[in-house]
Amino acid sequence: MRQYVIAGNWKMNTVLSRAEELAQEIKQGISQSLHSGVSVVVFPPSVFIHPVAQHVQGTRIKVGAQNCSNEPYGAFTGEISTDMITSVGGEYTLIGHSERRVIYKESNEVVAAKVKHVLTTSLTPVLCIGETLQERQSGQTWTVLQQQLDAVYTQIDKTSAENIIIAYEPVWAIGTGVAATKVEAQEAHNFIRKYVGNYIDSTNTMILYGGSVTADNADQLLLQPDINGALIGGASLKAETFLSIIATANKLAG
Ligand code: PGA
């Protein structure tokens, strides 16, 4: 049986009414016979985690944050702590999304500190990694991925490391409409699985693909042996397309 995580990253979109409506639409549209191997997680803006979590309470839909602090609490204006996320019903958090790395200059070290902290809590970290177009074109893809993984995995112990979900998101594929081909994605996922194998038994590590996933390309990506799910941005803002991708995973898991 194959397992999949289908995750929707709403980024800085929606307002309260739309966030609640979207949560409701996903809840209503999700198949009653969702395969036990399929997990569904939505990542609303942090101010909407609470209402969204309330809407989906008791369903198979889980909720997460798009980012969090590496500090537990204190004088860090504007930051969101893991306890805050948990206390409003969040169970996951993205860490190191490329928009955090590129726009907000989060270094590998900062990302590692966040993962390290999150692993001391009940939240599941979704560690995002991926190369830029320039890095791919100059043949640095594998080095960049190695550095991003080393930064994190050298800082944490083996047991907790097994709880990390990885999202491979080539920066050039995010929001561009140009997804990695199934061959490119599988190659990168296989590389990541093997490389993480230097630290832990990565056979069952969940590695999600992100970057212009749509209802049309989801099946060929999810069919790849090392792709365990999808982190979906734009296409997760419409319940219809997000539900269609969940249905694809449901079919393939069964
Ligand atoms: P996209 O975004 O699906 O809109 O390309 C993916 C992501 O940034 O997680």
PDB file of all heavy atoms in Angstrom, residues 36-75:
ATOM      1  N   SER A  36      -6.838   5.100   4.017  1.00  0.00           N
ATOM      2  CA  SER A  36      -6.106   5.352   5.270  1.00  0.00           C
ATOM      3  C   SER A  36      -4.666   5.778   5.003  1.00  0.00           C
ATOM      4  O   SER A  36      -4.016   6.372   5.857  1.00  0.00           O
ATOM      5  CB  SER A  36      -6.139   4.102   6.153  1.00  0.00           C
ATOM      6  OG  SER A  36      -5.526   3.043   5.458  1.00  0.00           O
ATOM      7  N   GLY A  37      -4.170   5.491   3.815  1.00  0.00           N
ATOM      8  CA  GLY A  37      -2.795   5.870   3.484  1.00  0.00           C
ATOM      9  C   GLY A  37      -2.650   7.311   3.027  1.00  0.00           C
ATOM     10  O   GLY A  37      -1.537   7.775   2.771  1.00  0.00           O
ATOM     11  N   VAL A  38      -3.752   8.028   2.909  1.00  0.00           N
ATOM     12  CA  VAL A  38      -3.669   9.416   2.418  1.00  0.00           C
ATOM     13  C   VAL A  38      -3.890  10.409   3.557  1.00  0.00           C
ATOM     14  O   VAL A  38      -4.907  10.353   4.248  1.00  0.00           O
ATOM     15  CB  VAL A  38      -4.712   9.678   1.297  1.00  0.00           C
ATOM     16  CG1 VAL A  38      -4.617  11.112   0.792  1.00  0.00           C
ATOM     17  CG2 VAL A  38      -4.528   8.698   0.148  1.00  0.00           C
ATOM     18  N   SER A  39      -2.933  11.284   3.778  1.00  0.00           N
ATOM     19  CA  SER A  39      -3.082  12.361   4.761  1.00  0.00           C
ATOM     20  C   SER A  39      -3.285  13.676   4.023  1.00  0.00           C
ATOM     21  O   SER A  39      -2.638  13.914   2.995  1.00  0.00           O
ATOM     22  CB  SER A  39      -1.819  12.497   5.625  1.00  0.00           C
ATOM     23  OG  SER A  39      -1.502  11.284   6.233  1.00  0.00           O
ATOM     24  N   VAL A  40      -4.152  14.496   4.565  1.00  0.00           N
ATOM     25  CA  VAL A  40      -4.423  15.802   3.948  1.00  0.00           C
ATOM     26  C   VAL A  40      -4.106  16.885   4.971  1.00  0.00           C
ATOM     27  O   VAL A  40      -4.570  16.818   6.116  1.00  0.00           O
ATOM     28  CB  VAL A  40      -5.909  15.907   3.512  1.00  0.00           C
ATOM     29  CG1 VAL A  40      -6.220  17.288   2.955  1.00  0.00           C
ATOM     30  CG2 VAL A  40      -6.242  14.822   2.483  1.00  0.00           C
ATOM     31  N   VAL A  41      -3.299  17.852   4.576  1.00  0.00           N
ATOM     32  CA  VAL A  41      -2.939  18.948   5.486  1.00  0.00           C
ATOM     33  C   VAL A  41      -3.105  20.272   4.750  1.00  0.00           C
ATOM     34  O   VAL A  41      -2.677  20.395   3.594  1.00  0.00           O
ATOM     35  CB  VAL A  41      -1.462  18.863   5.959  1.00  0.00           C
ATOM     36  CG1 VAL A  41      -1.212  19.824   7.111  1.00  0.00           C
ATOM     37  CG2 VAL A  41      -1.066  17.450   6.354  1.00  0.00           C
ATOM     38  N   VAL A  42      -3.709  21.253   5.410  1.00  0.00           N
ATOM     39  CA  VAL A  42      -3.748  22.589   4.816  1.00  0.00           C
ATOM     40  C   VAL A  42      -2.935  23.553   5.683  1.00  0.00           C
ATOM     41  O   VAL A  42      -2.913  23.429   6.911  1.00  0.00           O
ATOM     42  CB  VAL A  42      -5.185  23.124   4.615  1.00  0.00           C
ATOM     43  CG1 VAL A  42      -5.908  22.331   3.536  1.00  0.00           C
ATOM     44  CG2 VAL A  42      -5.981  23.138   5.905  1.00  0.00           C
ATOM     45  N   PHE A  43      -2.269  24.472   5.025  1.00  0.00           N
ATOM     46  CA  PHE A  43      -1.435  25.461   5.702  1.00  0.00           C
ATOM     47  C   PHE A  43      -1.989  26.860   5.424  1.00  0.00           C
ATOM     48  O   PHE A  43      -1.549  27.549   4.506  1.00  0.00           O
ATOM     49  CB  PHE A  43       0.020  25.354   5.197  1.00  0.00           C
ATOM     50  CG  PHE A  43       0.690  24.056   5.575  1.00  0.00           C
ATOM     51  CD1 PHE A  43       0.585  22.938   4.754  1.00  0.00           C
ATOM     52  CD2 PHE A  43       1.414  23.952   6.755  1.00  0.00           C
ATOM     53  CE1 PHE A  43       1.199  21.742   5.111  1.00  0.00           C
ATOM     54  CE2 PHE A  43       2.030  22.754   7.119  1.00  0.00           C
ATOM     55  CZ  PHE A  43       1.920  21.641   6.294  1.00  0.00           C
ATOM     56  N   PRO A  44      -2.981  27.288   6.205  1.00  0.00           N
ATOM     57  CA  PRO A  44      -3.540  28.636   6.015  1.00  0.00           C
ATOM     58  C   PRO A  44      -2.579  29.673   6.604  1.00  0.00           C
ATOM     59  O   PRO A  44      -1.658  29.321   7.341  1.00  0.00           O
ATOM     60  CB  PRO A  44      -4.833  28.607   6.816  1.00  0.00           C
ATOM     61  CG  PRO A  44      -4.854  27.344   7.594  1.00  0.00           C
ATOM     62  CD  PRO A  44      -3.600  26.582   7.329  1.00  0.00           C
ATOM     63  N   PRO A  45      -2.805  30.944   6.319  1.00  0.00           N
ATOM     64  CA  PRO A  45      -2.053  31.987   7.031  1.00  0.00           C
ATOM     65  C   PRO A  45      -2.256  31.778   8.536  1.00  0.00           C
ATOM     66  O   PRO A  45      -3.329  31.329   8.960  1.00  0.00           O
ATOM     67  CB  PRO A  45      -2.732  33.278   6.555  1.00  0.00           C
ATOM     68  CG  PRO A  45      -3.339  32.922   5.236  1.00  0.00           C
ATOM     69  CD  PRO A  45      -3.760  31.495   5.351  1.00  0.00           C
ATOM     70  N   SER A  46      -1.246  32.116   9.330  1.00  0.00           N
ATOM     71  CA  SER A  46      -1.284  31.735  10.748  1.00  0.00           C
ATOM     72  C   SER A  46      -2.493  32.293  11.496  1.00  0.00           C
ATOM     73  O   SER A  46      -3.025  31.635  12.389  1.00  0.00           O
ATOM     74  CB  SER A  46       0.003  32.159  11.445  1.00  0.00           C
ATOM     75  OG  SER A  46       0.233  33.518  11.252  1.00  0.00           O
ATOM     76  N   VAL A  47      -2.957  33.490  11.106  1.00  0.00           N
ATOM     77  CA  VAL A  47      -4.115  34.051  11.818  1.00  0.00           C
ATOM     78  C   VAL A  47      -5.400  33.270  11.551  1.00  0.00           C
ATOM     79  O   VAL A  47      -6.402  33.470  12.247  1.00  0.00           O
ATOM     80  CB  VAL A  47      -4.348  35.554  11.508  1.00  0.00           C
ATOM     81  CG1 VAL A  47      -3.285  36.405  12.164  1.00  0.00           C
ATOM     82  CG2 VAL A  47      -4.417  35.818  10.015  1.00  0.00           C
ATOM     83  N   PHE A  48      -5.364  32.402  10.547  1.00  0.00           N
ATOM     84  CA  PHE A  48      -6.570  31.608  10.252  1.00  0.00           C
ATOM     85  C   PHE A  48      -6.428  30.140  10.649  1.00  0.00           C
ATOM     86  O   PHE A  48      -7.299  29.326  10.331  1.00  0.00           O
ATOM     87  CB  PHE A  48      -6.941  31.710   8.760  1.00  0.00           C
ATOM     88  CG  PHE A  48      -7.130  33.126   8.281  1.00  0.00           C
ATOM     89  CD1 PHE A  48      -6.724  33.503   7.008  1.00  0.00           C
ATOM     90  CD2 PHE A  48      -7.703  34.092   9.099  1.00  0.00           C
ATOM     91  CE1 PHE A  48      -6.881  34.804   6.567  1.00  0.00           C
ATOM     92  CE2 PHE A  48      -7.870  35.399   8.661  1.00  0.00           C
ATOM     93  CZ  PHE A  48      -7.456  35.758   7.389  1.00  0.00           C
ATOM     94  N   ILE A  49      -5.347  29.783  11.312  1.00  0.00           N
ATOM     95  CA  ILE A  49      -5.184  28.376  11.704  1.00  0.00           C
ATOM     96  C   ILE A  49      -6.336  27.964  12.631  1.00  0.00           C
ATOM     97  O   ILE A  49      -6.935  26.907  12.466  1.00  0.00           O
ATOM     98  CB  ILE A  49      -3.831  28.132  12.411  1.00  0.00           C
ATOM     99  CG1 ILE A  49      -2.677  28.366  11.439  1.00  0.00           C
ATOM    100  CG2 ILE A  49      -3.755  26.697  12.965  1.00  0.00           C
ATOM    101  CD1 ILE A  49      -1.300  28.314  12.084  1.00  0.00           C
ATOM    102  N   HIS A  50      -6.638  28.838  13.585  1.00  0.00           N
ATOM    103  CA  HIS A  50      -7.659  28.486  14.572  1.00  0.00           C
ATOM    104  C   HIS A  50      -9.036  28.249  13.955  1.00  0.00           C
ATOM    105  O   HIS A  50      -9.618  27.171  14.119  1.00  0.00           O
ATOM    106  CB  HIS A  50      -7.708  29.551  15.670  1.00  0.00           C
ATOM    107  CG  HIS A  50      -8.515  29.128  16.850  1.00  0.00           C
ATOM    108  ND1 HIS A  50      -9.403  29.964  17.479  1.00  0.00           N
ATOM    109  CD2 HIS A  50      -8.600  27.952  17.489  1.00  0.00           C
ATOM    110  CE1 HIS A  50      -9.989  29.302  18.476  1.00  0.00           C
ATOM    111  NE2 HIS A  50      -9.503  28.093  18.503  1.00  0.00           N
ATOM    112  N   PRO A  51      -9.574  29.228  13.211  1.00  0.00           N
ATOM    113  CA  PRO A  51     -10.899  28.970  12.620  1.00  0.00           C
ATOM    114  C   PRO A  51     -10.894  27.795  11.648  1.00  0.00           C
ATOM    115  O   PRO A  51     -11.848  27.013  11.615  1.00  0.00           O
ATOM    116  CB  PRO A  51     -11.244  30.288  11.903  1.00  0.00           C
ATOM    117  CG  PRO A  51      -9.976  31.063  11.821  1.00  0.00           C
ATOM    118  CD  PRO A  51      -9.124  30.610  12.968  1.00  0.00           C
ATOM    119  N   VAL A  52      -9.825  27.652  10.871  1.00  0.00           N
ATOM    120  CA  VAL A  52      -9.785  26.538   9.911  1.00  0.00           C
ATOM    121  C   VAL A  52      -9.742  25.213  10.663  1.00  0.00           C
ATOM    122  O   VAL A  52     -10.459  24.262  10.342  1.00  0.00           O
ATOM    123  CB  VAL A  52      -8.583  26.697   8.937  1.00  0.00           C
ATOM    124  CG1 VAL A  52      -8.356  25.410   8.149  1.00  0.00           C
ATOM    125  CG2 VAL A  52      -8.819  27.865   7.986  1.00  0.00           C
ATOM    126  N   ALA A  53      -8.938  25.155  11.725  1.00  0.00           N
ATOM    127  CA  ALA A  53      -8.842  23.916  12.511  1.00  0.00           C
ATOM    128  C   ALA A  53     -10.195  23.575  13.120  1.00  0.00           C
ATOM    129  O   ALA A  53     -10.568  22.400  13.218  1.00  0.00           O
ATOM    130  CB  ALA A  53      -7.775  24.060  13.602  1.00  0.00           C
ATOM    131  N   GLN A  54     -10.933  24.603  13.519  1.00  0.00           N
ATOM    132  CA  GLN A  54     -12.253  24.338  14.089  1.00  0.00           C
ATOM    133  C   GLN A  54     -13.215  23.779  13.037  1.00  0.00           C
ATOM    134  O   GLN A  54     -13.982  22.877  13.309  1.00  0.00           O
ATOM    135  CB  GLN A  54     -12.811  25.613  14.713  1.00  0.00           C
ATOM    136  CG  GLN A  54     -12.066  25.923  16.017  1.00  0.00           C
ATOM    137  CD  GLN A  54     -12.785  26.940  16.866  1.00  0.00           C
ATOM    138  OE1 GLN A  54     -13.317  27.912  16.337  1.00  0.00           O
ATOM    139  NE2 GLN A  54     -12.787  26.746  18.167  1.00  0.00           N
ATOM    140  N   HIS A  55     -13.114  24.324  11.825  1.00  0.00           N
ATOM    141  CA  HIS A  55     -13.985  23.845  10.741  1.00  0.00           C
ATOM    142  C   HIS A  55     -13.736  22.385  10.405  1.00  0.00           C
ATOM    143  O   HIS A  55     -14.659  21.666  10.039  1.00  0.00           O
ATOM    144  CB  HIS A  55     -13.772  24.680   9.471  1.00  0.00           C
ATOM    145  CG  HIS A  55     -14.648  25.879   9.425  1.00  0.00           C
ATOM    146  ND1 HIS A  55     -15.966  25.825   9.041  1.00  0.00           N
ATOM    147  CD2 HIS A  55     -14.393  27.162   9.731  1.00  0.00           C
ATOM    148  CE1 HIS A  55     -16.488  27.031   9.121  1.00  0.00           C
ATOM    149  NE2 HIS A  55     -15.565  27.859   9.538  1.00  0.00           N
ATOM    150  N   VAL A  56     -12.473  21.970  10.491  1.00  0.00           N
ATOM    151  CA  VAL A  56     -12.157  20.608  10.032  1.00  0.00           C
ATOM    152  C   VAL A  56     -11.980  19.627  11.192  1.00  0.00           C
ATOM    153  O   VAL A  56     -11.573  18.490  10.980  1.00  0.00           O
ATOM    154  CB  VAL A  56     -10.909  20.597   9.111  1.00  0.00           C
ATOM    155  CG1 VAL A  56     -11.152  21.469   7.878  1.00  0.00           C
ATOM    156  CG2 VAL A  56      -9.661  21.041   9.855  1.00  0.00           C
ATOM    157  N   GLN A  57     -12.292  20.098  12.376  1.00  0.00           N
ATOM    158  CA  GLN A  57     -12.159  19.231  13.552  1.00  0.00           C
ATOM    159  C   GLN A  57     -12.960  17.940  13.366  1.00  0.00           C
ATOM    160  O   GLN A  57     -14.078  17.955  12.865  1.00  0.00           O
ATOM    161  CB  GLN A  57     -12.689  19.968  14.781  1.00  0.00           C
ATOM    162  CG  GLN A  57     -12.132  19.419  16.071  1.00  0.00           C
ATOM    163  CD  GLN A  57     -12.475  20.332  17.235  1.00  0.00           C
ATOM    164  OE1 GLN A  57     -13.424  21.118  17.165  1.00  0.00           O
ATOM    165  NE2 GLN A  57     -11.721  20.243  18.300  1.00  0.00           N
ATOM    166  N   GLY A  58     -12.339  16.827  13.722  1.00  0.00           N
ATOM    167  CA  GLY A  58     -13.048  15.553  13.614  1.00  0.00           C
ATOM    168  C   GLY A  58     -13.021  14.960  12.218  1.00  0.00           C
ATOM    169  O   GLY A  58     -13.604  13.902  11.978  1.00  0.00           O
ATOM    170  N   THR A  59     -12.375  15.633  11.258  1.00  0.00           N
ATOM    171  CA  THR A  59     -12.271  15.082   9.902  1.00  0.00           C
ATOM    172  C   THR A  59     -10.832  14.601   9.688  1.00  0.00           C
ATOM    173  O   THR A  59      -9.987  14.720  10.574  1.00  0.00           O
ATOM    174  CB  THR A  59     -12.580  16.157   8.832  1.00  0.00           C
ATOM    175  OG1 THR A  59     -11.486  17.075   8.773  1.00  0.00           O
ATOM    176  CG2 THR A  59     -13.865  16.897   9.147  1.00  0.00           C
ATOM    177  N   ARG A  60     -10.551  14.116   8.490  1.00  0.00           N
ATOM    178  CA  ARG A  60      -9.190  13.662   8.176  1.00  0.00           C
ATOM    179  C   ARG A  60      -8.286  14.818   7.759  1.00  0.00           C
ATOM    180  O   ARG A  60      -7.111  14.621   7.461  1.00  0.00           O
ATOM    181  CB  ARG A  60      -9.272  12.612   7.056  1.00  0.00           C
ATOM    182  CG  ARG A  60     -10.006  11.314   7.469  1.00  0.00           C
ATOM    183  CD  ARG A  60      -9.041  10.333   8.131  1.00  0.00           C
ATOM    184  NE  ARG A  60      -7.907  10.052   7.297  1.00  0.00           N
ATOM    185  CZ  ARG A  60      -7.914   9.210   6.268  1.00  0.00           C
ATOM    186  NH1 ARG A  60      -8.998   8.546   5.973  1.00  0.00           N
ATOM    187  NH2 ARG A  60      -6.823   9.014   5.543  1.00  0.00           N
ATOM    188  N   ILE A  61      -8.809  16.035   7.739  1.00  0.00           N
ATOM    189  CA  ILE A  61      -8.003  17.186   7.313  1.00  0.00           C
ATOM    190  C   ILE A  61      -7.257  17.766   8.511  1.00  0.00           C
ATOM    191  O   ILE A  61      -7.865  18.080   9.535  1.00  0.00           O
ATOM    192  CB  ILE A  61      -8.905  18.276   6.685  1.00  0.00           C
ATOM    193  CG1 ILE A  61      -9.743  17.675   5.549  1.00  0.00           C
ATOM    194  CG2 ILE A  61      -8.067  19.456   6.195  1.00  0.00           C
ATOM    195  CD1 ILE A  61     -10.946  18.524   5.172  1.00  0.00           C
ATOM    196  N   LYS A  62      -5.956  17.850   8.374  1.00  0.00           N
ATOM    197  CA  LYS A  62      -5.121  18.427   9.431  1.00  0.00           C
ATOM    198  C   LYS A  62      -4.694  19.829   9.013  1.00  0.00           C
ATOM    199  O   LYS A  62      -4.730  20.184   7.832  1.00  0.00           O
ATOM    200  CB  LYS A  62      -3.886  17.569   9.682  1.00  0.00           C
ATOM    201  CG  LYS A  62      -4.189  16.116   9.993  1.00  0.00           C
ATOM    202  CD  LYS A  62      -4.882  15.995  11.329  1.00  0.00           C
ATOM    203  CE  LYS A  62      -5.183  14.550  11.680  1.00  0.00           C
ATOM    204  NZ  LYS A  62      -6.219  14.449  12.699  1.00  0.00           N
ATOM    205  N   VAL A  63      -4.218  20.591  10.008  1.00  0.00           N
ATOM    206  CA  VAL A  63      -3.872  21.991   9.737  1.00  0.00           C
ATOM    207  C   VAL A  63      -2.443  22.264  10.202  1.00  0.00           C
ATOM    208  O   VAL A  63      -1.966  21.665  11.173  1.00  0.00           O
ATOM    209  CB  VAL A  63      -4.869  22.924  10.470  1.00  0.00           C
ATOM    210  CG1 VAL A  63      -4.622  24.388  10.109  1.00  0.00           C
ATOM    211  CG2 VAL A  63      -6.298  22.555  10.116  1.00  0.00           C
ATOM    212  N   GLY A  64      -1.768  23.145   9.505  1.00  0.00           N
ATOM    213  CA  GLY A  64      -0.400  23.486   9.898  1.00  0.00           C
ATOM    214  C   GLY A  64      -0.107  24.962   9.680  1.00  0.00           C
ATOM    215  O   GLY A  64      -0.920  25.701   9.113  1.00  0.00           O
ATOM    216  N   ALA A  65       1.081  25.372  10.151  1.00  0.00           N
ATOM    217  CA  ALA A  65       1.532  26.754   9.975  1.00  0.00           C
ATOM    218  C   ALA A  65       2.544  26.802   8.822  1.00  0.00           C
ATOM    219  O   ALA A  65       3.168  25.795   8.498  1.00  0.00           O
ATOM    220  CB  ALA A  65       2.192  27.249  11.261  1.00  0.00           C
ATOM    221  N   GLN A  66       2.691  27.989   8.250  1.00  0.00           N
ATOM    222  CA  GLN A  66       3.613  28.129   7.111  1.00  0.00           C
ATOM    223  C   GLN A  66       5.040  28.409   7.549  1.00  0.00           C
ATOM    224  O   GLN A  66       5.970  28.394   6.746  1.00  0.00           O
ATOM    225  CB  GLN A  66       3.122  29.253   6.197  1.00  0.00           C
ATOM    226  CG  GLN A  66       1.760  28.995   5.601  1.00  0.00           C
ATOM    227  CD  GLN A  66       1.196  30.191   4.866  1.00  0.00           C
ATOM    228  OE1 GLN A  66       1.904  31.164   4.597  1.00  0.00           O
ATOM    229  NE2 GLN A  66      -0.068  30.130   4.527  1.00  0.00           N
ATOM    230  N   ASN A  67       5.202  28.704   8.844  1.00  0.00           N
ATOM    231  CA  ASN A  67       6.513  29.095   9.356  1.00  0.00           C
ATOM    232  C   ASN A  67       6.384  29.138  10.872  1.00  0.00           C
ATOM    233  O   ASN A  67       5.276  29.204  11.399  1.00  0.00           O
ATOM    234  CB  ASN A  67       6.858  30.495   8.817  1.00  0.00           C
ATOM    235  CG  ASN A  67       8.197  31.005   9.297  1.00  0.00           C
ATOM    236  OD1 ASN A  67       9.142  30.246   9.513  1.00  0.00           O
ATOM    237  ND2 ASN A  67       8.290  32.308   9.484  1.00  0.00           N
ATOM    238  N   CYS A  68       7.488  29.077  11.577  1.00  0.00           N
ATOM    239  CA  CYS A  68       7.425  29.253  13.026  1.00  0.00           C
ATOM    240  C   CYS A  68       8.769  29.745  13.527  1.00  0.00           C
ATOM    241  O   CYS A  68       9.752  29.751  12.783  1.00  0.00           O
ATOM    242  CB  CYS A  68       7.057  27.940  13.722  1.00  0.00           C
ATOM    243  SG  CYS A  68       8.366  26.719  13.664  1.00  0.00           S
ATOM    244  N   SER A  69       8.803  30.128  14.778  1.00  0.00           N
ATOM    245  CA  SER A  69      10.057  30.599  15.364  1.00  0.00           C
ATOM    246  C   SER A  69      10.874  29.415  15.871  1.00  0.00           C
ATOM    247  O   SER A  69      10.320  28.373  16.199  1.00  0.00           O
ATOM    248  CB  SER A  69       9.737  31.533  16.533  1.00  0.00           C
ATOM    249  OG  SER A  69      10.927  31.881  17.203  1.00  0.00           O
ATOM    250  N   ASN A  70      12.170  29.604  15.958  1.00  0.00           N
ATOM    251  CA  ASN A  70      13.013  28.571  16.575  1.00  0.00           C
ATOM    252  C   ASN A  70      13.130  28.810  18.080  1.00  0.00           C
ATOM    253  O   ASN A  70      13.721  28.016  18.800  1.00  0.00           O
ATOM    254  CB  ASN A  70      14.408  28.553  15.946  1.00  0.00           C
ATOM    255  CG  ASN A  70      15.121  29.868  16.072  1.00  0.00           C
ATOM    256  OD1 ASN A  70      14.626  30.863  15.551  1.00  0.00           O
ATOM    257  ND2 ASN A  70      16.244  29.908  16.757  1.00  0.00           N
ATOM    258  N   GLU A  71      12.553  29.912  18.547  1.00  0.00           N
ATOM    259  CA  GLU A  71      12.578  30.219  19.976  1.00  0.00           C
ATOM    260  C   GLU A  71      11.250  29.798  20.588  1.00  0.00           C
ATOM    261  O   GLU A  71      10.202  29.963  19.972  1.00  0.00           O
ATOM    262  CB  GLU A  71      12.744  31.734  20.195  1.00  0.00           C
ATOM    263  CG  GLU A  71      14.036  32.309  19.637  1.00  0.00           C
ATOM    264  CD  GLU A  71      15.257  31.907  20.444  1.00  0.00           C
ATOM    265  OE1 GLU A  71      15.083  31.380  21.566  1.00  0.00           O
ATOM    266  OE2 GLU A  71      16.375  32.101  19.937  1.00  0.00           O
ATOM    267  N   PRO A  72      11.249  29.294  21.806  1.00  0.00           N
ATOM    268  CA  PRO A  72       9.991  28.824  22.392  1.00  0.00           C
ATOM    269  C   PRO A  72       9.024  29.958  22.757  1.00  0.00           C
ATOM    270  O   PRO A  72       7.815  29.797  22.667  1.00  0.00           O
ATOM    271  CB  PRO A  72      10.431  28.048  23.636  1.00  0.00           C
ATOM    272  CG  PRO A  72      11.830  28.487  23.923  1.00  0.00           C
ATOM    273  CD  PRO A  72      12.422  28.967  22.638  1.00  0.00           C
ATOM    274  N   TYR A  73       9.545  31.085  23.210  1.00  0.00           N
ATOM    275  CA  TYR A  73       8.697  32.230  23.586  1.00  0.00           C
ATOM    276  C   TYR A  73       9.618  33.418  23.852  1.00  0.00           C
ATOM    277  O   TYR A  73      10.842  33.267  23.866  1.00  0.00           O
ATOM    278  CB  TYR A  73       7.873  31.948  24.866  1.00  0.00           C
ATOM    279  CG  TYR A  73       8.730  31.618  26.062  1.00  0.00           C
ATOM    280  CD1 TYR A  73       9.249  32.622  26.877  1.00  0.00           C
ATOM    281  CD2 TYR A  73       9.063  30.294  26.345  1.00  0.00           C
ATOM    282  CE1 TYR A  73      10.080  32.308  27.941  1.00  0.00           C
ATOM    283  CE2 TYR A  73       9.883  29.979  27.401  1.00  0.00           C
ATOM    284  CZ  TYR A  73      10.396  30.994  28.196  1.00  0.00           C
ATOM    285  OH  TYR A  73      11.227  30.692  29.230  1.00  0.00           O
ATOM    286  N   GLY A  74       9.009  34.593  24.061  1.00  0.00           N
ATOM    287  CA  GLY A  74       9.822  35.727  24.498  1.00  0.00           C
ATOM    288  C   GLY A  74       9.714  36.945  23.611  1.00  0.00           C
ATOM    289  O   GLY A  74       8.767  37.106  22.844  1.00  0.00           O
ATOM    290  N   ALA A  75      10.690  37.818  23.720  1.00  0.00           N
ATOM    291  CA  ALA A  75      10.663  39.112  23.042  1.00  0.00           C
ATOM    292  C   ALA A  75      11.138  38.968  21.592  1.00  0.00           C
ATOM    293  O   ALA A  75      12.280  39.278  21.247  1.00  0.00           O
ATOM    294  CB  ALA A  75      11.551  40.101  23.812  1.00  0.00           C
TER     295      ALA A  75
END
